[in-house]
Amino acid sequence: MNKRVPIVIANWKLNGGIDLLCSSVAAFIGKHFSAKIAICPPYIYMRDMLNFLQHSEIIVGTQNVSKYESGAYTGETSAQMIKRAGGGLCLVGHSERRQMFHENDPSCNIKVSRALASNLMPVLCVGENLQQREAGITNDVLFRQLHDGLADVDLTNKEICVAYEPVWAIGTGQAASPEDAQLVHEYIRSELTILFGKEIAERIHILYGGSVNKTNAYELLSQSDIDGLLVGGASLDPEHFMQICLHANTHAENIESSK
Ligand code: PGA
């Protein structure tokens, strides 16, 4: 059985507002979750969310982070600013940022290092597109994204997550099957073992993302190398997101009781 306590991360993308914020967080206040739950709203709502969630265990994260520390970089927000504001994690290299905002592996590598230096947990997103999948080069794509994105990264006493998000599954309603996703996660862990050694690779959470919903969440989390979920569309419906979190919680409780 998987021994890593599952993490569920909501990625609101460029969606949501105060109404969604209130209804999403209300459901979590005063409740204990054995699974870790995080929400990444647009930056502008981060502060309000942190205020609302003061007495909860929910982690607030961001969807991006600057590769710069400070200076004349209009529109940027640094890892240190996110950390000081109370943020706990940041997504790095989401496929939408790679596709639409020209992010690449070297820039992801800098962002990962900046986040770690500020004790903010980076969640490095990797995944192949449909063309690459059909050409049978999924592992080659992942190899490059992992080795370049995590080059020279030191994880001693640091936490990082990797999110496998096949681009063809994002927002399409066509999630990878649990078995297919498990095979890819296994491959990712083998590369993480080469990069960081077995002990560190075994504690890294590898999340799956791409059309996760309340129907497929439990089965995905049942796979031995799927340690959490990155949820886009379904996280915009608070009741739906809660169902996914409850599935993760069941897994977390099973892990606790098997100890
Ligand atoms: P989706 O998005 O759940 O809407 O497919 C996932 C993501 O892009 O992180």
Side-chain angles (χ1 to χ4, degrees), residues 11 13 94-96 165 169-172 209-212 230-234:
N11 173 14
K13 310 190 182 187
H94 187 282
S95 66
E96 286 152 15
E165 295 210 301
I170 295 179
T172 60
S211 295
V212 170
L230 182 49
V231 188

Side-chain angles (χ1 to χ4, degrees), residues 182-198:
Q182 164 60 23
L183 285 176
V184 178
H185 281 227
E186 232 173 275
Y187 172 71
I188 292 174
R189 199 171 310 279
S190 70
E191 290 307 324
L192 293 174
T193 306
I194 292 167
L195 279 163
F196 301 111
K198 195 168 168 55

Side-chain angles (χ1 to χ4, degrees), residues 11-216:
N11 173 14
W12 283 8
K13 310 190 182 187
L14 186 51
N15 294 299
I18 288 296
D19 287 355
L20 178 64
L21 196 149
C22 293
S23 49
S24 293
V25 301
F28 288 101
I29 290 172
K31 290 211 179 85
H32 168 72
F33 279 81
S34 297
K36 281 193 192 166
I37 316 289
I39 303 179
C40 301
Y43 283 120
I44 191 91
Y45 298 119
M46 192 184 162
R47 218 40 210 249
D48 285 331
M49 189 167 273
L50 279 159
N51 286 339
F52 277 122
L53 288 170
Q54 272 186 60
H55 301 296
S56 83
E57 300 157 343
I58 310 299
I59 300 161
V60 178
T62 59
Q63 301 168 17
N64 187 22
V65 62
S66 180
K67 64 178 179 176
Y68 302 106
E69 266 179 297
S70 65
Y73 301 105
T74 303
E76 293 290 277
T77 304
S78 74
Q80 200 179 55
M81 288 171 179
I82 296 168
K83 182 69 188 179
R84 284 196 179 150
L89 62 83
C90 60
L91 305 184
V92 172
H94 187 282
S95 66
E96 286 152 15
R97 298 219 50 93
R98 292 178 190 256
Q99 279 170 3
M100 291 181 269
F101 302 98
H102 313 295
E103 290 202 10
N104 53 26
D105 296 323
S107 68
C108 289
N109 184 237
I110 300 171
K111 290 179 176 205
V112 164
S113 301
R114 291 270 186 243
L116 290 171
S118 294
N119 289 320
L120 187 66
M121 181 171 77
V123 180
L124 177 67
C125 303
V126 297
E128 82 287 2
N129 63 30
L130 188 58
Q131 213 182 0
Q132 292 162 334
R133 177 182 165 87
E134 285 175 349
I137 57 167
T138 296
N139 286 3
D140 304 284
V141 172
L142 295 172
F143 180 93
R144 203 198 58 241
Q145 290 175 336
L146 291 167
H147 283 261
D148 293 355
L150 297 172
D152 300 321
V153 164
D154 181 1
L155 290 181
T156 319
N157 301 322
K158 301 278 181 191
E159 264 198 281
I160 192 172
C161 289
V162 171
Y164 169 56
E165 295 210 301
V167 180
W168 48 268
I170 295 179
T172 60
Q174 270 208 299
S177 72
E179 297 75 20
D180 283 354
Q182 164 60 23
L183 285 176
V184 178
H185 281 227
E186 232 173 275
Y187 172 71
I188 292 174
R189 199 171 310 279
S190 70
E191 290 307 324
L192 293 174
T193 306
I194 292 167
L195 279 163
F196 301 111
K198 195 168 168 55
E199 203 187 311
I200 290 180
E202 283 299 319
R203 68 171 163 80
I204 295 177
H205 283 72
I206 306 175
L207 278 51
Y208 169 80
S211 295
V212 170
N213 58 41
K214 61 185 178 189
T215 312
N216 58 23

